Amino acid sequence: MDPHLLATFVAVARHGSFSAAAAELGYTQSAISQQIAALEADLGLVLLSRRPVEPTPAGARLLEHAGPLLLRLRAARADVLRAAAPPRHRLRLAATALAVNPVLAARLALARAEQPRLEVSLHIGDRARIGAMVAEGEADLGLADGIAAPSDPLRLPDTGPMTAAGVTEAALVVALPAGHPLAGRASLRLADLADARWLQTPLCPLERLRDLVGEGFRAGLDYQGDDVYTVVNLVAAGHGLTLLPVSALPGASAGPVRGVALAFPRLVHRVELLHGALPPGPAADLARVLSG
């Protein structure tokens, strides 16, 4: 199967339009149609219905494979180029919103003190993209966070050969409005809160809580951003509860939101460092310092 044709198929399916895919990829509409026809001839199956333009059942199955396949190809290219590239002092660090906690911010400062020539640009993205950015060479290193049992690895999308190592683990707290009946508790069990309203956010996906505890955890509000300040304000206004690392609620005892310790199950806020093969140089030195 020609990866070039597969990429064209993904673009047409994403846009639902041959002309929009042609504009994105820089081809004529006729060329796009010929590429799709060639892919369908190779497989002996119709992959796209034409009016409207949408995947057939066979096309939908192919789409499930296409993303990971194309990502692995881009990752292989980036890995080979990275191995042959000379060391650079200007590095790109991709991170999720809660990954750069106080500990890692301090380690980053230490790395910059050790390497005066080091320049770091920090890019914040969602968990699903961090690994892909590192694999494809858009970032030299990645920091991803999530909720996990102590010492358990995070569940991250497969992006091919990559090192993923835990660098910090911190306590989680249940964030509640200051006036909530349970805000004065010393600790809370997650199962006892299954019937409460929760915020659905990328910082604390409710499907992860359901995996850990079971049914419940209905969304009071769906917020698809990753700004912690916004999340805290939504909790304070009563839109729902959430889990946050304790460092995300500094001085919460006197504010509009209370952070109550999570008694059971034992869960932590885990941050992992992601990177490909790193030859000796600034990137490897930065990875060493961030790893503690």
Side-chain angles (χ1 to χ4, degrees):
M1 189 182 306
D2 188 333
H4 178 72
L5 301 181
L6 189 60
T8 299
F9 166 67
V10 170
V12 174
R14 183 174 67 253
H15 288 289
S17 165
F18 282 75
S19 58
E24 176 189 323
L25 299 175
Y27 293 105
T28 64
Q29 183 172 334
S30 174
I32 293 294
S33 297
Q34 291 172 13
Q35 291 175 33
I36 296 300
L39 182 61
E40 291 178 326
D42 179 32
L43 293 174
L45 295 166
V46 177
L47 301 173
L48 290 167
S49 60
R50 271 37 177 195
R51 292 184 182 148
V53 177
E54 60 185 16
T56 63
R61 292 296 297 271
L62 181 58
L63 277 175
E64 294 177 9
H65 297 281
L69 285 171
L70 293 172
L71 173 58
R72 291 296 294 270
L73 287 171
R74 294 192 298 270
R77 175 183 175 84
D79 192 46
V80 171
L81 293 175
R82 183 166 48 233
R88 295 182 296 107
H89 288 86
R90 187 178 186 87
L91 302 178
R92 291 160 293 179
L93 177 62
T96 47
L98 288 174
V100 187
N101 55 40
V103 172
L104 285 168
R107 290 180 186 173
L108 180 58
L110 176 61
R112 298 182 68 192
E114 289 184 357
Q115 302 185 64
R117 295 175 56 197
L118 182 63
E119 297 181 33
V120 178
S121 59
L122 178 62
H123 302 262
I124 300 299
D126 63 80
R127 188 176 294 109
R129 265 303 287 160
I130 297 301
M133 289 180 69
V134 175
E136 295 173 16
E138 292 182 39
D140 299 285
L141 303 170
L143 290 169
D145 79 288
I147 297 170
S151 301
D152 277 2
L154 297 179
R155 299 178 180 178
L156 297 173
D158 180 18
T159 53
M162 185 179 299
T163 297
V167 289
T168 65
E169 286 188 358
L172 283 164
V173 294
V174 183
L176 315 96
H180 194 282
L182 301 177
R185 294 281 189 90
S187 63
L188 291 166
R189 293 167 51 92
L190 195 56
D192 294 338
L193 302 169
D195 293 331
R197 289 191 307 171
W198 287 74
L199 292 180
Q200 171 67 284
T201 78
L203 304 181
C204 178
L206 296 188
E207 56 269 22
R208 179 65 175 134
L209 302 188
R210 296 185 189 110
D211 285 345
L212 292 163
V213 176
E215 294 300 315
F217 303 99
R218 58 195 175 98
L221 186 144
D222 187 356
Y223 169 60
Q224 288 306 308
D226 56 15
D227 180 73
V228 180
Y229 181 74
T230 299
V231 169
V232 170
N233 283 337
L234 291 172
V235 172
H239 292 287
L241 313 182
T242 193
L243 295 183
L244 289 172
V246 66
S247 62
L249 288 173
S253 60
V257 172
R258 298 287 188 270
V260 179
L262 188 63
F264 188 84
R266 291 188 62 209
L267 298 173
V268 295
H269 177 253
R270 180 177 172 88
V271 180
E272 292 186 356
L273 176 67
L274 312 177
H275 60 81
L278 295 175
D285 291 340
L286 177 57
R288 171 183 54 79
V289 176
L290 290 178
S291 298

